Amino acid sequence: EVQLVESGGSLVQPGGSLRLSCAASGFAFRSYEMNWVRQAPGKGLEWISYISGSHSNIFYADSVKGRFTISRDNTKSSLFLQMNSLRAEDTAVYYCARVANGGNRAFDYWGQGTLVTVSS
Amino acid sequence: DIVMTQSPDSLAVSLGERATINCKSSQSVLYSSNNKNHLAWYQQKPGQPPKLLIYWASTRESGVPDRFSGSGSGTDFTLTISSLQAEDVAVYYCQQYYSILVTFGRGTKVEIK
């Protein structure tokens, strides 16, 4: 069974840093591209970052570029998001999501999410 | 970035009736190399992560009831729930994955009338 479990969310002050993790199981993690998607309270979905299976390709949304860093450890089937210079507008539930295989690039599995609250 | 515009923002439908959600992309998401529309639909119930319903604009994900169907091509797409059930109350999002910088619509909230 495919599982994605996020962790690391918490309350942090503006300007602070946080590292999110996503533990994957039930599939060949290294063979799949991964993403982080966030959802502010009561709002819609916002894609924020992508990483290829070999981490040779990485992309960010403009809203987080230069502040967030995506990475992965294929030996531990884990995805990470290092978040620096956090702002109030970064408050959201953060989901990791797997890109489907076989040419279909929709997000076929999502974790339950981890809440990040940026507030003084 | 490709902008995805969904309509309506919300709709209330009687049980057993049809619900129709529209999604328009700011540029075509039809990929010429495979002649497929890179468009997906997701369902999100309160307190849950999104769930993939439809990909390639019209292909149902495994296990998704056949009352859900997707149609359209190029820039205009539709998600139809043919006979609304109580468990279909949710917010529905379209997503383009034509670009690796994927974008989502703002969501359509479906409720029971």
Side-chain angles (χ1 to χ4, degrees):
Chain A
E1 179 194 5
V2 172
Q3 281 199 317
L4 298 170
V5 180
E6 302 93 339
S7 61
S10 70
L11 172 64
V12 60
Q13 291 191 338
S17 297
L18 212 53
R19 189 190 197 213
L20 306 184
S21 300
C22 170
S25 60
F27 64 101
F29 181 71
R30 67 176 64 246
S31 298
Y32 285 82
E33 301 157 59
M34 298 294 295
N35 292 267
W36 285 100
V37 177
R38 69 184 180 184
Q39 187 169 36
K43 302 298 184 182
L45 302 169
E46 179 190 14
W47 170 83
I48 57 171
S49 189
Y50 159 93
I51 187 168
S52 61
S54 62
H55 40 72
S56 58
N57 290 299
I58 287 174
F59 298 96
Y60 299 98
D62 287 345
S63 59
V64 305
K65 198 176 296 181
R67 300 188 299 124
F68 290 10
T69 302
I70 191 172
S71 62
R72 63 191 295 162
D73 184 340
N74 288 339
T75 66
K76 297 181 179 178
S77 296
S78 293
L79 176 72
F80 305 101
L81 186 68
Q82 177 66 42
M83 306 189 300
N84 298 331
S85 304
L86 283 161
R87 306 166 180 167
E89 54 264 35
D90 295 319
T91 294
V93 173
Y94 286 73
Y95 297 102
C96 60
R98 188 184 86 165
V99 176
N101 231 339
N104 173 24
R105 303 187 51 75
F107 296 174
D108 61 350
Y109 282 92
W110 299 62
Q112 287 295 315
T114 188
L115 176 62
V116 173
T117 303
V118 183
S119 175
S120 54
Chain B
D1 291 1
I2 299 175
V3 177
M4 307 301 291
T5 303
Q6 276 185 244
S7 62
D9 292 336
S10 64
L11 75 161
V13 175
S14 300
L15 288 172
E17 295 301 304
R18 178 183 300 259
T20 302
I21 300 168
N22 300 301
C23 176
K24 187 176 183 68
S25 58
S26 61
Q27 67 182 73
S28 176
V29 298
L30 177 61
Y31 204 47
S32 57
S33 66
N34 62 6
N35 199 36
K36 290 182 181 292
N37 289 282
H38 289 222
L39 189 286
W41 290 96
Y42 298 85
Q43 175 193 64
Q44 187 179 31
K45 297 181 179 180
Q48 295 185 20
K51 172 189 173 184
L52 178 63
L53 293 179
I54 303 277
Y55 58 94
W56 296 140
S58 60
T59 302
R60 267 189 305 276
E61 177 72 332
S62 176
V64 173
D66 61 6
R67 64 179 180 274
F68 290 93
S69 64
S71 63
S73 184
T75 61
D76 291 280
F77 302 91
T78 300
L79 174 70
T80 301
I81 309 172
S82 60
S83 176
L84 190 75
Q85 304 300 302
E87 60 265 32
D88 301 334
V89 169
V91 178
Y92 294 84
Y93 295 92
C94 61
Q95 176 212 34
Q96 66 77 20
Y97 50 93
Y98 181 90
S99 167
I100 205 160
L101 309 184
V102 306
T103 46
F104 294 90
R106 294 180 60 176
T108 295
K109 187 174 185 179
V110 174
E111 300 172 306
I112 305 295
K113 184 188 291 182

